[in-house]
Amino acid sequence: MMYHQYIRRTLNSLRFLLALCVNLMISVLLIYGIGTACMQGYHFCYEIFGSVVVEDAPGTEQSFQVTEADTMWQVAGRLEQEHLIVNRYSFYLRTKLMDEESVMLRPGDYVLNTSMTYEEIINQLTTSG
């Protein structure tokens, strides 16, 4: 009888330790996930509202064309593909947060630089022609 009680207590202790380890691992993963999500959110918001550039000055100049049929979403995608902006989503969202009339695309050929900020690129594509 004593032997069974000893085994039962040992098994209960092992169950408790196993449950504790699993709960600890889940807690660590949750904290890591929340921390990662917060950092990603911060970086995305900084891309929208901050002064981000692909590379520091002097950068590299590239020609870029905007046609009459282009939408801002298409332009943002091409700017990202040509490594003129960091992220198409943050660039597009930044244009959506601006006054709609001030971000009307102007068709034309432009010379953009990889050291230009989102604001500089938007100003160039919407005021030059």
Side-chain angles (χ1 to χ4, degrees), residues 49-61:
F49 299 108
S51 295
V52 292
V53 295
V54 173
E55 63 184 26
D56 293 330
T60 307
E61 288 192 347

Side-chain angles (χ1 to χ4, degrees), residues 46-48 50-64 66 75 79-80 82-87 90-91 94 109-128:
Y46 185 78
E47 287 174 7
I48 295 169
S51 295
V52 292
V53 295
V54 173
E55 63 184 26
D56 293 330
T60 307
E61 288 192 347
Q62 291 180 239
S63 60
F64 189 81
V66 176
V75 168
L79 286 169
E80 183 183 42
E82 296 182 24
H83 305 291
L84 288 163
I85 61 171
V86 176
N87 182 317
S90 59
F91 181 86
R94 182 168 184 152
D109 295 319
Y110 300 92
V111 176
L112 302 177
N113 194 300
T114 56
S115 66
M116 294 174 76
T117 65
Y118 285 4
E119 185 176 351
E120 292 170 330
I121 292 173
I122 292 168
N123 287 340
Q124 185 103 15
L125 299 180
T126 58
T127 57
S128 300

Side-chain angles (χ1 to χ4, degrees), residues 35-101:
T36 300
C38 288
M39 288 299 292
Q40 292 297 325
Y42 170 80
H43 288 295
F44 185 72
C45 288
Y46 185 78
E47 287 174 7
I48 295 169
F49 299 108
S51 295
V52 292
V53 295
V54 173
E55 63 184 26
D56 293 330
T60 307
E61 288 192 347
Q62 291 180 239
S63 60
F64 189 81
Q65 185 179 37
V66 176
T67 66
E68 191 80 35
D70 283 339
T71 64
M72 188 59 82
W73 176 250
Q74 292 168 328
V75 168
R78 286 201 334 263
L79 286 169
E80 183 183 42
Q81 284 176 346
E82 296 182 24
H83 305 291
L84 288 163
I85 61 171
V86 176
N87 182 317
R88 79 176 70 187
Y89 303 105
S90 59
F91 181 86
Y92 180 72
L93 190 54
R94 182 168 184 152
T95 64
K96 284 305 201 187
L97 293 172
M98 297 173 73
D99 179 29
E100 223 173 282
E101 290 181 21

